[in-house]
């Protein structure tokens, strides 16, 4: 079964850091671009970042550029999101998601259950 | 950035009736070299992650009931539920993947009248 499972969420103070991970199983991880999408409480979906299948290309939303870093370890089937200089407005459920077909520009067909990140003092 | 605007924000439809959601992009998401619209639709139920319904604007994802259909090209797109069922109550989002940053519409909440 194809699965994604996020971990690393929690409560952090403004200005702090947190590292999210996403464990993938049931598919050839290294063949697909991977994406992070977040959803603030009661709000819509916000695209955060994408990384290519090899890890050689990345992109970020303007709201997180320079503060968040996406990475992947294809040998461990793991996707990461390093979040620094966190702000209250970064509070959200963070989903990792798998690209449908291996292209960099792609929809996401498999989503994890999400990790809750709360930034508050 | 490409701005995605959905309408309406919410709609209430009787069981068995048609529900129509519109999505407009601020720039065309039709890629001329392959004639594909880089537009997807998702369904999200409370407490769950999004579920992919359509890609390339009108290609139904495996397992999606055929009462759902996607249409449109360029900047204007539509998601139609031909006969609303109770299990279709959800928030629906369009997403452009033509360029980064990828962007979602604000969502349309579908309820039973």
């Amino acid at each position: 079964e194809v699965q994604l499972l996020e971990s690393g969420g929690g409560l952090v103070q403004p200005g702090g850091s947190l590292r999210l991970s996403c464990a993938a199983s049931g598919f050839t991880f290294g063949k697909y671009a991977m994406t992070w999408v977040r959803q603030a409480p009661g709000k819509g979906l916000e695209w955060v970042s994408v990384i290519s299948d090899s890890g050689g290309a990345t992109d970020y939303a303007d709201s997180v550029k320079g503060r968040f870093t996406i990475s992947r370890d294809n040998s461990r089937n793991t996707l990461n999101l390093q979040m620094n200089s966190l702000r209250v407005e970064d509070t959200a459920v963070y989903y990792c998601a798998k690209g449908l077909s291996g292209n960099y520009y792609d929809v996401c067909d498999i989503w994890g259950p999400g990790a809750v990140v709360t930034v508050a003092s | 950035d490409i701005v995605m605007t959905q309408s309406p924000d919410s709609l209430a439809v009787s069981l068995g009736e048609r529900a129509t959601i519109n999505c407009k992009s601020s720039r065309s998401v039709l890629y001329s070299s392959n004639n594909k619209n880089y537009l997807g639709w998702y369904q999200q139920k409370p407490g769950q992650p999004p579920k992919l319904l359509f890609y390339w604007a009108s290609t139904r994802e495996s397992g999606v009931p055929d009462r759902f259909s996607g249409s449109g090209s360029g900047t204007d797109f539509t998601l139609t539920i031909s006969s609303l069922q109770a299990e279709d109550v959800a928030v629906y989002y369009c997403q452009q993947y033509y360029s980064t940053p990828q962007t979602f519409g604000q969502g349309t909440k579908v309820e039973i009248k």
Side-chain angles (χ1 to χ4, degrees), chain A residues 97-119:
Chain A
K98 166 190 167 291
L100 173 67
S101 58
N103 297 322
Y104 189 66
Y105 298 93
D106 211 351
V107 289
C108 294
D109 64 336
I110 304 295
W111 296 64
V116 176
V117 172
T118 303
V119 185

Side-chain angles (χ1 to χ4, degrees), chain A residues 25-101:
Chain A
S25 60
F27 65 100
T28 306
F29 181 71
K31 287 191 173 181
Y32 297 91
M34 296 294 295
T35 297
W36 288 99
V37 173
R38 69 183 182 184
Q39 187 168 34
K43 302 297 184 183
L45 302 173
E46 181 186 12
W47 181 88
V48 172
S49 183
V50 64
I51 187 167
S52 64
D53 52 2
S54 67
T58 60
D59 269 299
Y60 299 90
D62 291 343
S63 57
V64 307
K65 199 173 294 182
R67 299 188 299 122
F68 289 13
T69 302
I70 191 171
S71 64
R72 64 191 297 161
D73 184 340
N74 286 347
S75 68
R76 296 174 184 259
N77 293 346
T78 301
L79 174 72
N80 301 301
L81 186 67
Q82 177 66 42
M83 303 184 293
N84 298 331
S85 303
L86 282 161
R87 305 167 179 168
V88 171
E89 55 265 34
D90 294 319
T91 295
V93 176
Y94 284 74
Y95 297 103
C96 77
K98 166 190 167 291
L100 173 67
S101 58

Side-chain angles (χ1 to χ4, degrees), chain B residues 54 60-70 80-83 88:
Chain B
F54 290 92
R60 192 180 294 109
E61 172 69 334
S62 175
V64 173
D66 61 6
R67 64 180 180 273
F68 289 89
S69 63
T80 302
I81 309 172
S82 61
S83 176
D88 301 335

Side-chain angles (χ1 to χ4, degrees), chain B residues 8-77:
Chain B
D9 290 334
S10 65
L11 74 161
V13 176
S14 300
L15 288 172
E17 295 301 305
R18 180 184 298 263
T20 301
I21 300 168
N22 299 301
C23 173
K24 188 174 185 67
S25 59
S26 61
R27 285 190 281 130
S28 175
V29 298
L30 174 62
Y31 192 38
S32 56
S33 67
N34 61 9
N35 201 36
K36 289 182 181 293
N37 288 283
Y38 283 58
L39 190 283
W41 287 98
Y42 297 86
Q43 175 194 64
Q44 187 179 32
K45 297 180 179 180
Q48 296 183 18
K51 173 188 174 183
L52 177 65
L53 297 178
F54 290 92
Y55 52 99
W56 304 135
S58 60
T59 300
R60 192 180 294 109
E61 172 69 334
S62 175
V64 173
D66 61 6
R67 64 180 180 273
F68 289 89
S69 63
S71 62
S73 184
T75 61
D76 292 279
F77 301 91

